[in-house]
Amino acid sequence: MFFIKSNYVLFFCFAFALSINAQDGSKAIALKAILQSIEKQHHVYFNYIEDEIAFVKIEPPKKSLSLNEKLVYLHKKTNLQFEKIDPKFITIIPKKEVERVCGYVFSKDDNLPQEGTNIQLLNGGSTTTDKKGYFEIATEKATEIGISHIGFISQKIDMLDLKNKNCPKIFLELEVLKLENVTANHYLASGITKTIDGTFVVKPKKQGILPGLIEPDVLQTMLQIPGIYTADESLSSINVRGGTHDQNLFLWNGIKMYQTGHFFGLISAFNPNLATTVSISKNGSSAFFGESVSSVVDISSNTNKFEKNSFSAGINMINLDVYSKFNINKNGFLEIAARKSITDFVETPTYTKYYNKAFQNTSVSDFSTNQNIDYQNEEKFNFYDITLKYSQKIGQKDHLILDLITINDHLNVEQKATINDVVQSESNSLFQKNHGANLSWKRNWNSKNSSKINVFSSSYEIDAEKNKIQDNQIVKQENSVLDNGFKIENSHIITSKFSFNNGYQFNEIGSTNLDQVNTPAFYRKIKEVLSTHALIVEGKYNDTLSKIYLNAGMRLNYIVEFKKYLFEPRLQFNYGISNSLSLEILGEFKSQNCFQIIDQQGDYFGVEKRRWILSNNNTIPIQKSKQASIGFSFNKNNWLITLENFYKKVTGINSSGQGFQNQLEFAKINGDYDVLGSEILVQKKINHFITWLSYAYNDNNYHFPGMEQTEFSNNFELKNVVSWAGTYDIGNLKIALGSKWYSGRPITTPIGIDNSDSLNPTIEYNTPNNKNLDDFFQVNFSTTYKWESSNNTQYKLGLSIINVFDKQNEISEYYRINPTTNTIEDVKTYSLERTPNLSFRVAF
């Protein structure tokens, strides 16, 4: 009986389950039937492939829904795409699975994952890697994928290689000239390296961010290197190991540049969006470089063929610029860059800060100080620079390159005041310009021998005119330099370890100085010319296995007018003590015939008061320098520690070229200076964060025989300089914060006034450079962000703040007599106030 009841219960449950299933199944019907129903109700037609919907069954949508609502419902239920061709026809497309590839990106150098690496499909799509270096991207029918990251060599990978492997590891190699020739990569920032010959190589296009910079400015970057500084914040007054600015050799594509700054030193004259390689040598420079007793800064733009045309334009609160590079034939291209100040259109807060800094305590500002009644002032200042490169490869062995550059600054100031019902006015104008050209031909004779010929010309001119209208007095001043020459370089590879270079250089330099006054009549014009021949030899030994590098060179100069020979040996030696520790020894003898002096502090309105002159081998001797240094470099586990000790002596200097504003201002005596110093850098890289601390010590002293005190501190001595910075670079965002502290430069204080000549009282001074200014301290900040649109147009936005805390730093001080009160006035000059700057750039 129990068995019968049990079977009855089971049968009842089974039947109920079938009934429920039949009821649920009755609600799901074939998709084709649903489509036919919709066609009748809404008078539309569906296009589809029978096989793609034959087995699809779903519950039909409510008839009360609109056509669009039904299509959305069907898409959610079936995962099919419903596309309206027109109001009457609807096409059904099956959704295909999106094919994706993935991978991990690492640095080959330290095996660390690289966050922020750009992954670019060559047909448009892009992404970036995460903290683990991982990326994933839809293939979108692409056949290749591009991988790029700042400081690394870009790669192209076949899509099939990624599809056939399960998220493979991809290793990027550091982008350096030759890995075995680099002692420090990522020096201060990505894109900056120190090579085995002691040279610093900067690649602005690959450079990471530095404090206060939103553009890869060549000269501002140079100031971050220990031992290089500017005592007055001017890029026209860069001091390298105690030397003056004119003692540095600045080359732009083989052209010597006599003007390096716009805005009278506050802005670099070299377009930051153009240069591709900058080599900076503080000591041990190649024998192919002459005519300098301090550093060498060699700026060159790219000469290689490129794949596609490019254009970019940018603007900041000082200037705007454009850049274009395009192929003109299969083996040639043209590159043009231009930059112009925006002061013709608008005066920004940044311009105002720069103007106040550049013209404080000059005749431009003194007029307003002395005349404070109904004072009116109208000034116009503008600058521009233009560069052009033409590159043409001829066959397989010859390469022809033409480089042109022009740099122009113009200042015009109209000043007027009414004093005792008498109108007094002045009209001041100042022009400064540097034009240059270089024609280069390179011939590869075979795989081991090549030759290069450069024919160059550089023309510099500065003109000033002051017109005192009420006195009918016109004062004119002019200074010009014309530097023409040619250079031949031959390179010979003897073995895999040894190479030999030789060459010849001829230079003819002429300088002209003019001073003219109409009332009272005065005219002085001095023109000088010097011709120099130079023979050059260099032997280079580089054994990467024994880690020995030696480059010994000799430059023999013959100065025609003096009938004088000068021997200049050069030395570069590097020994790898271990994989992480290396020893460096550098040395050089150099000479210079063309340099700057200050005739009168008020020359050229006191704005750009220096003028170029030539040696006469008598009262103005040839400047000569000797320098030796020994250093160590430790590079391991992303730690970089460098130490360098040096001694430098420069003879043949004239006091008029040192910027004295004390008892030596008009002395014009010859002497020398020597510098004993140390430079230390400690740097740590942690993934995308780099922080560094540097210290430079300089004991820099003059020696002027015949003076009561023959030895005293150099005007440009900054005995202690400390810099710190932290930079963060991830993907498209870069942030930098840094500070700089240094001890104040020397000045000479007055004792009183000597009135022995009542018509011409003078200041009595203490011993030269008996006191130092207060310490200098400044904090700078900068950040940039870039992004890319779907059509591969790149955008970049930047913000910088110089002197974040708006600290008032005194950078110079001198004294003068007030003729009205016959008292001593203390004249002080200060650094930039807090100065913001914004930039925006677009490239495609």
Side-chain angles (χ1 to χ4, degrees):
M1 186 69 178
F2 174 77
F3 175 76
I4 295 173
K5 289 182 178 179
S6 297
N7 283 336
Y8 177 77
V9 172
L10 288 174
F11 174 77
F12 177 80
C13 291
F14 180 69
F16 180 77
L18 287 176
S19 174
I20 294 297
N21 185 62
Q23 291 178 28
D24 288 345
S26 66
K27 293 182 180 181
I29 62 176
L31 177 60
K32 184 176 181 179
I34 297 174
L35 298 178
Q36 290 172 346
S37 175
I38 294 175
E39 286 177 335
K40 291 179 180 179
Q41 182 181 356
H42 295 282
H43 307 289
V44 295
Y45 300 94
F46 288 96
N47 297 321
Y48 51 85
I49 299 174
E50 289 278 354
D51 293 342
E52 293 176 348
I53 68 168
F55 300 100
V56 180
K57 290 186 177 182
I58 61 170
E59 184 177 347
K62 296 178 181 179
K63 288 190 175 184
S64 59
L65 297 177
S66 67
L67 175 61
N68 287 336
E69 290 173 334
K70 288 176 181 176
L71 295 180
V72 172
Y73 173 84
L74 294 177
H75 168 67
K76 290 181 179 179
K77 291 291 185 180
T78 64
N79 216 21
L80 296 171
Q81 301 289 337
F82 293 83
E83 294 186 5
K84 282 187 175 182
I85 306 301
D86 58 38
K88 289 288 185 181
F89 292 92
I90 301 170
T91 299
I92 301 176
I93 303 172
K95 184 177 180 181
K96 295 181 180 179
E97 290 296 325
V98 177
E99 190 173 16
R100 305 180 72 83
V101 294
C102 59
Y104 293 87
V105 179
F106 291 84
S107 167
K108 191 175 182 179
D109 181 52
D110 51 22
N111 204 34
L112 290 175
Q114 295 302 304
E115 183 182 0
T117 302
N118 294 314
I119 311 297
Q120 179 80 44
L121 296 180
L122 299 190
N123 61 351
S126 64
T127 187
T128 57
T129 56
D130 61 15
K131 292 182 179 180
K132 297 180 179 180
Y134 176 78
F135 71 89
E136 185 177 316
I137 190 170
T139 60
E140 298 181 6
K141 297 182 181 181
T143 58
E144 281 187 322
I145 190 170
I147 301 176
S148 62
H149 193 43
I150 292 178
F152 294 89
I153 298 175
S154 300
Q155 290 188 26
K156 289 182 181 179
I157 299 177
D158 194 298
M159 192 66 75
L160 290 176
D161 292 338
L162 292 174
K163 291 179 180 178
N164 296 334
K165 298 176 183 178
N166 184 23
C167 295
K169 289 184 177 181
I170 301 165
F171 293 91
L172 297 180
E173 293 186 6
L174 294 171
E175 183 177 32
V176 293
L177 300 178
K178 288 184 179 179
L179 201 58
E180 66 271 17
N181 287 342
V182 172
T183 59
N185 196 40
H186 290 276
Y187 188 97
L188 304 180
S190 59
I192 305 176
T193 59
K194 185 179 182 184
T195 61
I196 201 169
D197 62 1
T199 301
F200 297 89
V201 177
V202 182
K203 290 184 172 289
K205 295 288 185 181
K206 301 293 183 181
Q207 183 180 319
I209 195 168
L210 289 169
L213 301 185
I214 47 179
E215 295 176 325
D217 187 283
V218 172
L219 302 186
Q220 291 285 6
T221 299
M222 179 180 174
L223 292 175
Q224 307 290 327
I225 298 173
I228 304 177
Y229 58 87
T230 171
D232 60 3
E233 282 193 319
S234 171
L235 297 179
S236 296
S237 183
I238 294 177
N239 313 111
V240 180
R241 290 180 171 173
T244 54
H245 183 81
D246 58 302
Q247 293 174 346
N248 302 313
L249 174 62
F250 293 92
L251 294 173
W252 185 87
N253 287 316
I255 306 165
K256 182 176 180 180
M257 303 305 298
Y258 291 85
Q259 179 182 348
T260 59
H262 284 308
F263 223 134
F264 307 104
L266 289 174
I267 301 168
S268 170
F270 306 112
N271 194 323
N273 301 293
L274 182 65
T276 56
T277 303
V278 182
S279 298
I280 302 167
S281 175
K282 295 188 289 184
N283 185 19
S285 56
S286 168
F288 283 92
F289 298 120
E291 194 54 36
S292 78
V293 292
S294 197
S295 73
V296 175
V297 181
D298 186 16
I299 306 168
S300 62
S301 52
N302 191 10
T303 60
N304 298 322
K305 186 178 181 295
F306 59 101
E307 295 181 357
K308 63 179 182 178
N309 299 335
S310 61
F311 175 84
S312 66
I315 187 171
N316 58 39
M317 297 177 74
I318 294 293
N319 59 258
L320 54 85
D321 74 278
V322 293
Y323 168 85
S324 181
K325 191 174 184 180
F326 51 90
N327 286 308
I328 54 177
N329 55 49
K330 184 178 179 181
N331 294 309
F333 69 81
L334 197 64
E335 183 181 54
I336 303 173
R339 185 171 51 153
K340 190 183 187 310
S341 59
I342 60 175
T343 52
D344 293 339
F345 318 108
V346 62
E347 292 186 5
T348 65
T350 307
Y351 166 78
T352 302
K353 300 283 189 179
Y354 277 30
Y355 185 91
N356 293 338
K357 163 65 175 65
F359 301 120
Q360 60 181 317
N361 298 325
T362 66
S363 65
V364 175
S365 60
D366 286 347
F367 188 94
S368 62
T369 303
N370 298 331
Q371 317 292 348
N372 53 21
I373 303 173
D374 295 332
Y375 172 73
Q376 296 176 3
N377 183 69
E378 181 181 350
E379 72 275 345
K380 291 182 180 180
F381 174 78
N382 59 73
F383 66 81
Y384 69 87
D385 56 71
I386 304 172
T387 60
L388 182 144
K389 176 185 285 291
Y390 168 67
S391 173
Q392 180 68 55
K393 289 187 176 180
I394 305 170
Q396 298 297 318
K397 295 187 176 182
D398 297 283
H399 195 177
L400 187 68
I401 302 169
L402 174 65
D403 286 292
L404 302 173
I405 184 171
T406 180
I407 299 169
N408 283 264
D409 284 68
H410 176 217
L411 169 68
N412 191 73
V413 181
E414 303 286 343
Q415 299 175 317
K416 183 185 296 184
T418 302
I419 303 173
N420 298 325
D421 297 326
V422 178
V423 176
Q424 297 188 9
S425 60
E426 287 186 7
S427 177
N428 302 322
S429 64
L430 182 65
F431 294 88
Q432 188 179 25
K433 48 195 172 185
N434 199 161
H435 310 306
N438 181 55
L439 181 63
S440 173
W441 171 69
K442 184 176 182 181
R443 169 80 172 183
N444 292 318
W445 302 101
N446 51 50
S447 60
K448 294 187 177 181
N449 298 278
S450 64
S451 297
K452 184 179 181 180
I453 299 177
N454 287 329
V455 180
F456 53 84
S457 178
S458 182
S459 172
Y460 168 82
E461 186 174 349
I462 181 169
D463 303 319
E465 181 175 306
K466 175 183 284 190
N467 186 356
K468 291 185 177 181
I469 298 173
Q470 74 279 2
D471 296 332
N472 193 28
Q473 185 187 60
I474 300 176
V475 180
K476 290 184 178 180
Q477 293 179 310
E478 296 178 7
N479 175 225
S480 63
V481 178
L482 182 60
D483 186 349
N484 297 323
F486 66 91
K487 181 162 63 173
I488 302 172
E489 302 177 40
N490 300 304
S491 299
H492 315 280
I493 300 175
I494 310 302
T495 68
S496 60
K497 297 180 181 179
F498 181 72
S499 62
F500 174 75
N501 304 320
N502 66 304
Y504 166 79
Q505 182 173 345
F506 171 76
N507 269 86
E508 184 181 75
I509 305 176
S511 74
T512 303
N513 280 284
L514 170 69
D515 294 274
Q516 183 178 1
V517 182
N518 66 334
T519 305
F522 175 80
Y523 181 86
R524 180 181 64 177
K525 184 176 183 179
I526 302 173
K527 186 173 182 179
E528 304 164 304
V529 178
L530 283 181
S531 302
T532 306
H533 301 271
L535 293 176
I536 305 149
V537 292
E538 270 188 349
K540 184 184 298 183
Y541 177 80
N542 189 8
D543 188 344
T544 56
L545 293 178
S546 59
K547 301 174 184 175
I548 294 176
Y549 174 87
L550 174 65
N551 186 2
M554 173 65 75
R555 183 183 181 96
L556 173 60
N557 295 320
Y558 175 70
I559 306 172
V560 176
E561 286 74 14
F562 306 151
K563 297 180 181 180
K564 188 179 185 67
Y565 291 94
L566 295 173
F567 291 88
E568 299 180 359
R570 313 288 173 87
L571 175 68
Q572 305 159 3
F573 174 77
N574 190 287
Y575 174 62
I577 300 172
S578 67
N579 290 332
S580 55
L581 181 64
S582 62
L583 165 70
E584 177 185 85
I585 298 175
L586 302 173
E588 64 182 18
F589 283 44
K590 299 202 305 189
S591 64
Q592 186 171 343
N593 297 295
C594 183
F595 31 79
Q596 289 180 313
I597 65 165
I598 300 174
D599 191 36
Q600 301 283 339
Q601 288 291 336
D603 286 352
Y604 305 101
F605 317 141
V607 177
E608 180 54 90
K609 49 199 172 187
R610 296 166 298 176
R611 58 177 74 197
W612 291 94
I613 64 167
L614 297 180
S615 165
N616 60 17
N617 200 34
N618 186 11
T619 56
I620 305 175
I622 301 169
Q623 293 185 0
K624 301 175 185 177
S625 70
K626 301 176 182 179
Q627 186 177 181
S629 62
I630 181 170
F632 295 89
S633 179
F634 176 80
N635 193 350
K636 188 176 182 181
N637 296 331
N638 290 315
W639 279 99
L640 173 63
I641 303 174
T642 64
L643 168 65
E644 194 166 4
N645 300 301
F646 68 91
Y647 174 76
K648 176 180 178 182
K649 184 178 181 67
V650 178
T651 61
I653 66 169
N654 190 275
S655 58
S656 60
Q658 299 297 308
F660 284 106
Q661 290 183 276
N662 53 18
Q663 61 265 55
L664 294 176
E665 181 174 346
F666 307 106
K668 291 182 172 55
I669 57 176
N670 297 322
D672 61 71
Y673 70 84
D674 57 20
V675 191
L676 184 66
S678 295
E679 297 156 2
I680 303 170
L681 173 73
V682 179
Q683 176 182 298
K684 175 64 175 175
K685 181 177 183 292
I686 307 172
N687 294 328
H688 302 279
F689 178 72
I690 297 178
T691 183
W692 49 267
L693 179 70
S694 70
Y695 170 72
Y697 169 79
N698 284 268
D699 185 16
N700 189 351
N701 294 293
Y702 287 124
H703 303 273
F704 287 107
M707 285 193 59
E708 183 177 345
Q709 182 178 350
T710 59
E711 180 177 329
F712 52 91
S713 295
N714 193 301
N715 291 339
F716 302 99
E717 179 191 67
L718 301 183
K719 185 152 284 189
N720 300 284
V721 180
V722 179
S723 295
W724 169 86
T727 64
Y728 186 70
D729 184 344
I730 178 170
N732 297 328
L733 177 65
K734 299 178 182 180
I735 302 173
L737 179 67
S739 62
K740 180 173 289 187
W741 172 91
Y742 55 76
S743 49
R745 62 191 297 190
I747 62 169
T748 306
T749 57
I751 298 174
I753 297 179
D754 180 3
N755 288 303
S756 56
D757 183 353
S758 59
L759 298 177
N760 187 29
T762 58
I763 298 177
E764 289 187 283
Y765 288 95
N766 283 296
T767 56
N769 292 343
N770 64 306
K771 180 186 174 183
N772 288 79
L773 296 176
D774 292 337
D775 295 346
F776 179 101
F777 179 73
Q778 189 178 85
V779 175
N780 301 319
F781 168 82
S782 57
T783 181
T784 63
Y785 181 77
K786 65 178 182 179
W787 68 97
E788 188 171 326
S789 64
S790 58
N791 61 354
N792 293 328
T793 301
Q794 297 180 344
Y795 304 91
K796 184 179 179 181
L797 187 65
L799 167 67
S800 69
I801 303 175
I802 297 175
N803 197 3
V804 173
F805 297 119
D806 201 21
K807 187 177 186 301
Q808 188 180 58
N809 291 299
E810 185 182 351
I811 56 177
S812 72
E813 184 175 356
Y814 68 95
Y815 302 88
R816 64 188 179 191
I817 296 177
N818 187 317
T820 304
T821 61
N822 197 34
T823 57
I824 297 176
E825 291 182 341
D826 185 355
V827 183
K828 298 180 179 181
T829 304
Y830 297 95
S831 65
L832 271 174
E833 301 172 320
R834 182 190 296 119
T835 305
N837 198 3
L838 283 170
S839 69
F840 177 72
R841 188 161 199 85
V842 58
F844 49 87

